Amino acid sequence: MTRHFCFWGLRIDSDLELPELPTACGNPPGPPEVRIERVGPARLREPRPPATLGYLGFRVPGVATYEVIEGREIRVGPLAGASPGTVRLFLLGSAWAGLCYQRGLYPLHAGVSRFGAGAVAFCGPPGTGKSTLAAALAANGCQPVSDDLCRLDFDQEGCPQVWPGAARHKLHPESVELALPFTEATEDEAGSGKLLLPWSQAPPTKPVPLAALVLLDWHEAFPELQRATGAEGLRELVAGATYRGGFVDEMGLVAEHWKALAQAARRAPIYRLLRPRGAFYLDWTRSLLLRTFGGVRAGATTPR
């Protein structure tokens, strides 16, 4: 049975159930832009050859093989005993990112929250609190746009915007206690030890203007928000916001990738958010962000 989805502005036909994605109503007219096909495990070369704009193939031991072809097709070969959740984890992560790079799209590694008419993207490597911060802001009424991965895009006037990610928070149990009053949590099938919580608000139905980019890091003093400018700020943004940077390099897309992030930074200022860990400082951080970005107005892409 073929399932129909619409994600990041792309129509998808899939042999696999993808509960993380919004479904398309009925049978959309015309051919899909992306086809996800379930196949037998492929015999892939080891080590993995470099990714290209035409082909990416990789194996996750004990999970599945994945082949991404010309930005139009993903072939998934689940291995015996692999849980569907684990198979989807790498399908909607590495394989999906590879497909987007092949199509000339820009995956953004960020938790994103909506403040009024604009969105703020929180970027950083794993463990810097992207998901926790987005969940904490959701508890204060900021509509979530992304938990971890979204699409960066530009409107007709060249202003940056982000397409919503999968509509769930994915948090460590201790982060759930820190950030959210929600109780409807289910254990992640992928065995990550995290909990999955549905968003309490409906996700946006179209791209949201990007108001700011915030680079996350830890330090021991009270929460502090700094402007990051110039070449140094852009380098930090590329390091913190790039998803599967190896694919970017192998496909020869480094210049285009830097150009896209530089274009975004010209309209959406870059900040560094430094803060300590813990519930007490999470409240301080949340208050700081609401004061800084709460005044974004309709049609504006610059915080007050």
Side-chain angles (χ1 to χ4, degrees), residues 28-274:
E33 286 135 317
V34 177
R35 172 84 177 117
I36 298 175
E37 183 180 4
R38 183 183 180 122
V39 299
R43 293 187 176 183
L44 302 176
R45 286 170 47 194
E46 296 291 348
R48 177 183 69 79
T52 70
L53 294 177
Y55 181 83
L56 163 67
F58 63 94
R59 176 189 301 272
V60 179
V63 179
T65 61
Y66 300 86
E67 294 180 286
V68 187
I69 302 168
E70 296 182 346
R72 294 184 284 109
E73 184 178 2
I74 301 177
R75 297 174 183 170
V76 185
L79 301 176
S83 73
T86 309
V87 173
R88 295 196 306 271
L89 176 69
F90 294 95
L91 167 62
L92 298 177
S94 298
W96 183 255
L99 178 133
C100 289
Y101 287 131
Q102 288 177 344
R103 295 184 70 94
L105 307 180
Y106 304 104
L108 191 68
H109 197 191
V112 184
S113 299
R114 185 171 188 165
F115 293 76
V120 177
F122 301 100
C123 310
T128 50
K130 297 184 296 296
S131 299
T132 301
L133 199 51
L137 289 165
N140 266 76
C142 292
Q143 184 183 36
V145 179
S146 168
D147 175 74
D148 181 64
L149 187 63
C150 62
R151 172 187 168 187
L152 173 66
D153 194 10
F154 300 91
D155 65 16
Q156 293 182 345
E157 297 179 355
C159 296
Q161 57 186 10
V162 287
W163 291 79
R168 83 287 183 265
H169 301 290
K170 188 175 180 180
L171 302 169
H172 288 290
E174 59 270 23
S175 295
V176 174
E177 296 176 5
L178 287 175
L180 292 168
F182 303 160
T183 57
E184 298 179 8
T186 58
E187 189 172 349
D188 180 16
E189 281 186 63
S192 66
K194 294 186 177 181
L195 297 176
L196 303 180
L197 299 96
W199 289 351
S200 60
Q201 302 179 51
T205 57
K206 57 185 180 180
V208 182
L210 184 62
L213 295 145
V214 179
L215 309 173
L216 300 180
D217 205 351
W218 305 108
H219 77 165
E220 297 305 317
F222 275 87
E224 180 181 354
L225 200 61
Q226 306 171 343
R227 279 296 302 272
T229 58
E232 181 181 0
L234 181 58
R235 282 195 297 269
E236 291 182 34
L237 176 63
V238 172
T242 301
Y243 189 80
R244 298 293 180 262
F247 295 168
V248 177
D249 185 43
E250 293 168 8
M251 292 182 189
L253 299 173
V254 172
E256 290 86 347
H257 188 69
W258 276 71
K259 182 179 178 181
L261 290 176
Q263 181 179 348
R266 282 195 292 270
R267 299 293 188 99
I270 306 172
Y271 293 82
R272 297 184 194 92
L273 176 60
L274 308 175

